Amino acid sequence: MSRRSLTHRTRAGATVSVLACGLLLASAGGAAADRGTGTTDTGGNTGDGDIGSSVRFTYHSPGGGQPMTSSTGNWSPPVCWFEPRYTNDALAKHNEEMEDKGPLEGIDHDTAENRKEETDAHKDKDGMWWERTPVMSPRSCEIGELWIWVDRGDPDPPADAVDPEILAGLAYDRTKLPAPPVDLKPNEDRNVVNLPTKIEFSEPLDRVWTTASLANAQAGIDIAATTVAEPVSLRIDAGTEYAEPSSCTYDLVKAGGGYEVNSEGAGCNITYRKSSGEGTYPMEAQIVWDVTWNPTASPDGEPANGDLPDGLSVTEQAVTVKEIQTVVR
């Protein structure tokens, strides 16, 4: 096994490279914010001289628009990993281009010389430079090795190398969920005191999935992971203390080609006991999504052990509650 690391670099040079990567990834995420079904790249293909990740995302989210949040509140996606990025010739070319930009935009002369020594040492060798790739805060990857050389066919990848579990976390972070399609009976602008509020969906909810994949023939890598979110329950919060009960939770049922709810005859339906006056009550609907992942590019793959946190999607409706007017003769 033969590995050498490009560790001789100035703080300025490292920061420029990492910031460029972070900006590319942030830009790609913003472009896909209002997606339904399709594929996006995080920017750059392995060995093309660009700084960025080669992970691709394919998503299926009919009506999806809001980012999935974790039910635990303390989950965060993978921050850094190593992935194959450059042949030796491509990295040498990239280093030359960075030096030509000067020390403020690229790298200084001493750093360029150190990098040239490293690439010269691997000239004509069969392998690739693996790059540390940031996703969240660019500063999270300033410390540590930026590139690691890996011989072709080496069965022992770098520590923190990209793998299906990392891809599953990235897919979770990219998943968009539809807002709860809640219909109220009576309607939100016609609710009345002491009348139970019944809940239905305006349309069935489908499961949602995102696949993250990375393929690099030169490095002998072709991996993927698919994160699948399935809606399981709906919670309704009345938005006021003047309601009995103040909240209700319903299990979703599979019907009509998706998942639905109908609280007709349910043991729990919110009843407002006081008028909202000239204002409204902020009723909140929250769907819990059971999230699993599998190490394939299909949503129907065998789920892996260690599920991801449940996901949440939320919407709020302004509910007007009136008093029933009666005439006494």
Side-chain angles (χ1 to χ4, degrees):
M1 184 186 311
S2 172
R3 288 192 189 156
R4 297 186 64 190
S5 304
L6 285 174
T7 56
H8 305 293
R9 55 194 176 93
T10 63
R11 187 176 185 86
T15 301
V16 169
S17 296
V18 171
L19 283 174
C21 180
L23 290 173
L24 276 169
L25 290 165
S27 174
D34 298 322
R35 59 183 176 249
T37 299
T39 301
T40 62
D41 295 310
T42 56
N45 294 316
T46 299
D48 65 359
D50 292 325
I51 296 292
S53 174
S54 297
V55 175
R56 292 169 58 87
F57 294 91
T58 303
Y59 39 85
H60 173 81
S61 181
Q66 61 178 266
M68 177 164 61
T69 58
S70 166
S71 61
T72 64
N74 58 4
W75 182 89
S76 59
V79 176
C80 295
W81 64 90
F82 277 104
E83 67 177 69
R85 285 286 293 145
Y86 295 99
T87 62
N88 196 60
D89 288 345
L91 183 57
K93 179 181 178 182
H94 167 69
N95 289 337
E96 291 174 1
E97 292 172 348
M98 292 296 289
E99 185 181 16
D100 290 342
K101 292 180 179 180
L104 293 179
E105 295 184 30
I107 58 178
D108 61 41
H109 180 72
D110 289 341
T111 301
E113 285 297 310
N114 289 332
R115 291 184 176 183
K116 186 176 186 303
E117 291 178 7
E118 295 282 2
T119 53
D120 285 348
H122 292 82
K123 188 175 182 180
D124 299 326
K125 290 186 178 180
D126 191 8
M128 293 199 73
W129 290 100
W130 288 49
E131 182 180 58
R132 180 178 288 278
T133 304
V135 168
M136 301 298 287
S137 168
R139 293 186 177 274
S140 62
C141 291
E142 273 191 44
I143 300 173
E145 297 164 326
L146 186 56
W147 290 295
I148 292 178
W149 175 263
V150 178
D151 290 323
R152 181 174 176 81
D154 189 340
D156 183 23
D160 301 321
V162 63
D163 61 15
E165 188 170 1
I166 288 175
L167 292 179
L170 298 177
Y172 184 104
D173 189 53
R174 286 297 186 98
T175 299
K176 302 289 184 179
L177 298 175
V182 170
D183 274 351
L184 307 181
K185 292 186 178 181
N187 295 338
E188 61 269 21
D189 58 348
R190 295 183 179 181
N191 219 304
V192 295
V193 170
N194 295 328
L195 184 66
T197 303
K198 298 173 185 177
I199 306 294
E200 290 183 359
F201 280 170
S202 58
E203 57 185 353
L205 277 177
D206 196 3
R207 63 176 181 165
V208 171
W209 66 83
T210 301
T211 297
S213 59
L214 190 149
N216 186 301
Q218 288 178 302
I221 287 182
D222 189 358
I223 56 176
T226 300
T227 295
V228 182
E230 185 174 355
V232 293
S233 66
L234 169 71
R235 176 187 170 94
I236 300 292
D237 288 309
T240 175
E241 61 182 310
Y242 303 113
E244 296 179 0
S246 60
S247 68
C248 288
T249 299
Y250 311 99
D251 291 333
L252 304 186
V253 297
K254 200 166 186 178
Y259 297 84
E260 296 184 346
V261 66
N262 188 335
S263 71
E264 178 77 35
C268 184
N269 277 310
I270 289 172
T271 301
Y272 289 98
R273 299 302 187 187
K274 184 178 180 180
S275 166
S276 59
E278 297 300 318
T280 59
Y281 293 132
M283 175 183 279
E284 182 182 89
Q286 181 183 93
I287 292 179
V288 175
W289 300 72
D290 179 55
V291 182
T292 59
W293 72 274
N294 72 78
T296 77
S298 168
D300 300 316
E302 183 67 26
N305 292 329
D307 291 349
L308 291 162
D310 287 344
L312 300 176
S313 62
V314 181
T315 191
E316 188 177 284
Q317 292 175 268
V319 177
T320 301
V321 181
K322 300 291 187 181
E323 296 278 0
I324 297 177
Q325 300 297 319
T326 59
V327 178
V328 179
R329 295 182 182 274

